[in-house]
Amino acid sequence: MKKEEIWKKIEKIFETPERGIVSTAYDNVPYSRYMLLHNDGKNLYAKTIAESVNVDKIEKNNLSYIILGYDAESESSYLEILAETEVVMEQDTIDWLWEREDHQRFNLEEEEVLIVLKFMPKEIKLMNANDEIDKPEVIEFNG
């Protein structure tokens, strides 16, 4: 598949906010959780409460693995993304993401701090996009 075709399929999956599985590992222990992910065309973003994220552990191992877009009923294409993770506390980014989401899930207590996790892809695998099972189309990012 040509790179342009791969990007079109990736962009289609990126079109709407998606619940994805975000996995990390600290001290040789894996952690996974569902997160609502938004994108800016290149990076993925998720908001969370500062207390739910151990910033020190992200700084020690900032790699995350994300599965995004799978629908078991239609056996649709989905993405597996290896990304560097950054904790963002700038108000502009938090406000941008806040405007994109519905806020029903977040009733912040006075002492809670909202932060954003920014996922910068190093590699995106487009899965189920061709006739060969488990043969991904891969886009790698340099830098």
Side-chain angles (χ1 to χ4, degrees):
M1 188 178 298
K2 292 181 182 178
K3 193 171 186 174
E4 298 81 35
E5 292 176 65
I6 297 170
W7 267 115
K8 282 183 183 177
K9 290 184 183 245
I10 289 171
E11 288 171 346
K12 185 164 177 58
I13 294 171
F14 271 6
E15 279 178 1
T16 56
E18 290 273 352
R19 226 168 266 294
I21 300 170
V22 177
S23 300
T24 55
Y26 311 118
D27 300 325
N28 292 323
V29 178
Y31 297 89
S32 296
R33 67 178 177 171
Y34 283 102
M35 298 190 89
L36 186 61
L37 298 157
H38 295 270
N39 76 86
D40 62 8
K42 180 182 177 191
N43 300 307
L44 294 167
Y45 299 85
K47 71 179 185 215
T48 190
I49 304 300
E51 292 77 21
S52 71
V53 175
N54 190 323
V55 175
D56 293 337
K57 289 181 179 178
I58 289 176
E59 289 174 355
K60 287 180 185 174
N61 179 10
N62 71 339
L63 293 178
S64 296
Y65 203 78
I66 301 164
I67 298 176
L68 184 66
Y70 183 69
D71 178 4
E73 289 181 21
S74 66
E75 295 183 10
S76 62
S77 295
Y78 65 97
L79 304 176
E80 292 185 7
I81 303 167
L82 176 64
E84 292 180 344
T85 307
E86 177 182 312
V87 176
V88 178
M89 299 180 80
E90 285 82 23
Q91 195 61 47
D92 288 347
T93 304
I94 293 169
D95 291 345
W96 170 80
L97 192 57
W98 187 260
E99 290 171 10
R100 298 176 72 97
E101 282 196 25
D102 97 30
H103 314 117
Q104 294 174 354
R105 288 186 337 106
F106 278 85
N107 294 323
L108 292 177
E109 300 295 326
E110 200 169 299
E111 68 279 358
E112 291 180 319
V113 176
L114 188 65
I115 64 170
V116 172
L117 297 177
K118 178 180 180 181
F119 304 99
M120 299 155 290
K122 293 174 64 74
E123 177 184 83
I124 298 178
K125 294 179 182 176
L126 176 62
M127 307 298 288
N128 288 358
N130 53 42
D131 293 334
E132 296 182 53
I133 295 175
D134 291 332
K135 183 181 182 287
E137 300 290 345
V138 180
I139 302 260
E140 293 182 349
F141 299 84
N142 298 325

